[in-house]
Amino acid sequence: MPMMPKRQFLKAGLAAALPLALWRCAGVPGVAADTADVPRSALDLLWDQADAIERDLARTSFPARTFSVTDFAAHTGKQDDLNTARHNRAAFQRAIDACHQAGGGRVLVRAGVWPCGALTLKSNVELHLQQDAVLAFHPALELYLPLVFTRWEGMELMGYQPLIYAFGAENIGLTGNGKIDGGGSNSSWWPWKGQWKHTPWPVDNTKVQHAGRDLLMQWIEQGKPVAERVLPQNFLRPPLFQAYQCQRVLVEGLTLQNSPFWVMNPVLSEDVIIRRVTVVSHGPNSDGCDPESCRRVLIEHCLFDTGDDCIALKSGRNADGRRLNRPVEQVLIQDCTMKAGHGGVVIGSEISGGAKHIFARRLLMSSPDLDRGLRIKTNALRGGLIDTVALRDIVIGEVKDVIVVNYFYEEGRAGAFLPTVRNIFVHNLQVDKAQRLFELRGFPEAQIGPLQLSSVQVNCQSIGVLEAVGQLDCKQVLVNGKPWHWQG
């Protein structure tokens, strides 16, 4: 997908934001602004839980010490300069280590282009990129070794080090007004996907992810110890940022682009804040933010323009997810804009550990390249309990499918772990243009619901698909200007 010029991109974003602001004041046209028919006490109680997540999050705090990377011999250069990337990887890491050993503070990256390799953040360290600073990761594989304990598509293994990585750390930050470029392109990292969409790269079938992915999936079903999960040939791309088993994590202010794989991926972490981050990454599997098996997560004031899901909440794949048995929970998403992507707010498909108490409000979604608004994807191999998901005050300009709950993703019925999706609430939703309102596909023995829609207005070509839906309650729902009720 060609990159939109910055001025045009910002102009489009501002134009899209204005209707959201006006709509917040005016309400959904054609739908009564009051909620007399909605159990307000129940709604209030539900959204009190969202407010509690924001209130109770533990915040980061860093000592007033500054460690400039130039004091540790780092220097600017060209992104494709491997020697400078090798040098800077060591220099940046020395600065991080010194900051950590001193009790914490800020590692400062000034304006300029800084070629680099994988870095490890440590407790009480804030890596801060000033305006016009670009941390530019070189794709040479030597820069992502040694292998580390990581998770790839919900499966633990010893894999390439994520570009910025933390393991078991507390009080860490990745902040500033600069940019981080992951180095993904049609010639590096992304071709390991193999065939993808229009596949704008030559495919070398000896250097694609499929065999390694299949072997890793076999290992997790066999219960192979994680320390022994070392692929003989590894073509599994690392994420741009992964905080693994960390507490108090902050990512703020930055622009993240061209990630090899998922962009932000906190795993088994608590008290995570993602704020005012712009994600522009149109490569394969370029999910914007994928919290996995995390507790207390706040994602706010972000813009996502991605090649895959904008935000996808996860909790492990198949046997690995059930072994750890840790849901993603207490997540609040608010005041964000979603442009291109497979889905705006997504749960799954790596959801075997479950998801509960997920909240999203005041979101703007719109793009002819946005496939779905709310998407829940699972199957009978993943299983998982998804309970209490609430969205409100959502404006969608253009989207293909508005609400998707699909039990037939990938392997479909080929498993013994029935998914459960229940207590889904959507309130105050406006959709200007959609192909389908629903794709709801459950199993007869594991039906979807309850699902409640209230104060909703959608303009769409068709209602879509509703299969094995147990309960769908509609209050003040207009479809193409006419009241609509489910006749199931």
Side-chain angles (χ1 to χ4, degrees):
M1 184 177 194
M3 186 72 72
M4 183 183 293
K6 183 176 180 181
R7 180 175 295 178
Q8 182 182 351
F9 182 76
L10 292 174
K11 183 178 180 182
L14 289 171
L18 182 58
L20 177 61
L22 294 174
W23 174 74
R24 287 179 190 168
C25 298
V28 178
V31 176
D34 66 74
T35 55
D37 295 332
V38 179
R40 290 299 301 164
S41 59
L43 274 178
D44 290 343
L45 183 62
L46 181 67
W47 284 96
D48 281 349
Q49 297 179 44
D51 295 335
I53 294 169
E54 185 173 13
R55 182 187 66 238
D56 296 342
L57 268 165
R59 265 64 175 181
T60 55
S61 179
F62 303 100
R65 304 187 190 95
T66 299
F67 298 77
S68 174
V69 294
T70 56
D71 292 339
F72 295 83
H75 59 82
T76 57
K78 296 182 178 179
Q79 183 167 1
D80 61 358
D81 186 337
L82 177 56
N83 287 331
T84 300
R86 288 187 187 119
H87 173 87
N88 279 350
R89 183 190 187 192
F92 272 61
Q93 196 61 55
R94 287 195 298 270
I96 291 169
D97 292 348
C99 181
H100 168 69
Q101 291 164 7
R106 170 177 285 185
V107 173
L108 180 64
V109 183
R110 302 186 189 278
V113 177
W114 303 84
C116 203
L119 300 172
T120 301
L121 274 182
K122 297 186 176 179
S123 294
N124 302 312
V125 174
E126 173 196 12
L127 180 60
H128 183 86
L129 279 64
Q130 287 188 335
Q131 183 76 36
D132 298 322
V134 180
L135 184 54
F137 285 91
H138 193 286
L141 293 184
E142 66 181 76
L143 299 176
Y144 305 92
L145 296 172
L147 302 178
V148 298
F149 191 112
T150 183
R151 187 187 281 198
W152 194 88
E153 285 195 353
M155 301 175 285
E156 293 183 330
L157 79 157
M158 303 303 296
Y160 293 121
Q161 179 171 335
L163 280 56
I164 299 176
Y165 175 71
F167 188 93
E170 297 183 10
N171 193 41
I172 57 173
L174 185 60
T175 69
N177 295 313
K179 293 182 180 179
I180 300 177
D181 191 310
S185 72
N186 292 344
S187 59
S188 61
W189 293 122
W190 295 349
W192 288 5
K193 173 69 173 181
Q195 295 291 336
W196 179 71
K197 293 184 178 179
H198 54 286
T199 314
W201 49 72
V203 175
D204 181 350
N205 287 321
T206 67
K207 296 181 179 180
V208 295
Q209 68 184 33
H210 311 312
R213 183 178 188 263
D214 291 346
L215 182 57
L216 183 57
M217 290 172 66
Q218 291 176 25
W219 285 347
I220 68 169
E221 297 303 323
Q222 295 165 359
K224 190 180 185 75
V226 177
E228 298 175 13
R229 298 179 191 176
V230 179
L231 293 170
Q233 290 187 303
N234 189 352
F235 297 101
L236 304 184
R237 295 159 286 145
L240 190 150
F241 172 72
Q242 186 179 79
Y244 209 106
Q245 294 182 359
C246 293
Q247 296 182 359
R248 287 184 294 144
V249 177
L250 173 66
V251 183
E252 184 172 35
L254 296 164
T255 296
L256 309 179
Q257 61 191 32
N258 302 325
S259 179
F261 187 62
W262 297 347
V263 182
M264 293 175 282
N265 181 213
V267 180
L268 292 163
S269 295
E270 296 184 352
D271 299 308
V272 177
I273 298 177
I274 312 291
R275 178 185 292 130
R276 291 195 298 274
V277 175
T278 297
V279 177
V280 183
S281 190
H282 292 134
N285 309 107
S286 287
D287 293 18
C289 186
D290 288 7
E292 286 196 82
S293 300
C294 291
R295 181 182 295 120
R296 291 188 302 278
V297 178
L298 174 64
I299 304 170
E300 64 177 356
H301 302 292
C302 294
L303 185 149
F304 297 95
D305 190 1
T306 68
D308 208 301
D309 296 325
C310 295
I311 297 172
L313 309 178
K314 302 176 181 289
S315 59
R317 178 188 289 264
N318 302 351
D320 249 20
R322 288 184 284 273
R323 172 175 61 86
L324 295 171
N325 194 29
R326 173 80 177 269
V328 56
E329 59 183 326
Q330 299 178 45
V331 178
L332 173 59
I333 304 162
Q334 60 186 13
D335 302 303
C336 292
T337 298
M338 287 80 170
K339 297 176 75 68
H342 290 182
V345 175
V346 179
I347 300 174
S349 72
E350 299 86 354
I351 202 64
S352 300
K356 58 184 181 180
H357 303 116
I358 310 300
F359 300 90
R361 60 190 176 191
R362 302 189 301 269
L363 305 182
L364 173 65
M365 307 180 191
S366 185
S367 172
D369 297 315
L370 181 64
D371 292 335
R372 305 159 189 93
L374 168 64
R375 182 189 192 191
I376 298 174
K377 48 182 177 176
T378 183
N379 59 46
L381 272 181
R382 305 285 190 278
L385 167 63
I386 299 170
D387 190 358
T388 311
V389 178
L391 289 81
R392 70 177 302 164
D393 306 335
I394 312 293
V395 171
I396 301 179
E398 184 172 0
V399 71
K400 293 182 177 67
D401 295 334
V402 181
I403 299 173
V404 174
V405 181
N406 184 11
Y407 289 7
F408 289 85
Y409 185 79
E410 290 188 345
E411 296 91 347
R413 297 190 64 96
F417 302 93
L418 296 178
T420 299
V421 176
R422 67 190 187 200
N423 298 323
I424 312 299
F425 304 90
V426 179
H427 175 68
N428 212 23
L429 166 69
Q430 174 183 319
V431 182
D432 294 335
K433 181 181 179 182
Q435 292 180 14
R436 301 188 300 180
L437 173 52
F438 296 114
E439 183 187 3
L440 305 180
R441 302 184 65 208
F443 299 150
E445 68 275 32
Q447 297 192 357
I448 296 167
L451 168 61
Q452 182 185 98
L453 307 183
S454 59
S455 298
V456 170
Q457 176 176 296
V458 177
N459 295 314
C460 58
Q461 295 176 21
S462 74
I463 294 297
V465 177
L466 295 95
E467 299 174 354
V469 177
Q471 182 178 343
L472 172 56
D473 298 324
C474 298
K475 300 179 180 180
Q476 296 179 320
V477 174
L478 297 181
V479 176
N480 299 326
K482 297 180 180 180
W484 185 84
H485 296 279
W486 182 52
Q487 301 299 322

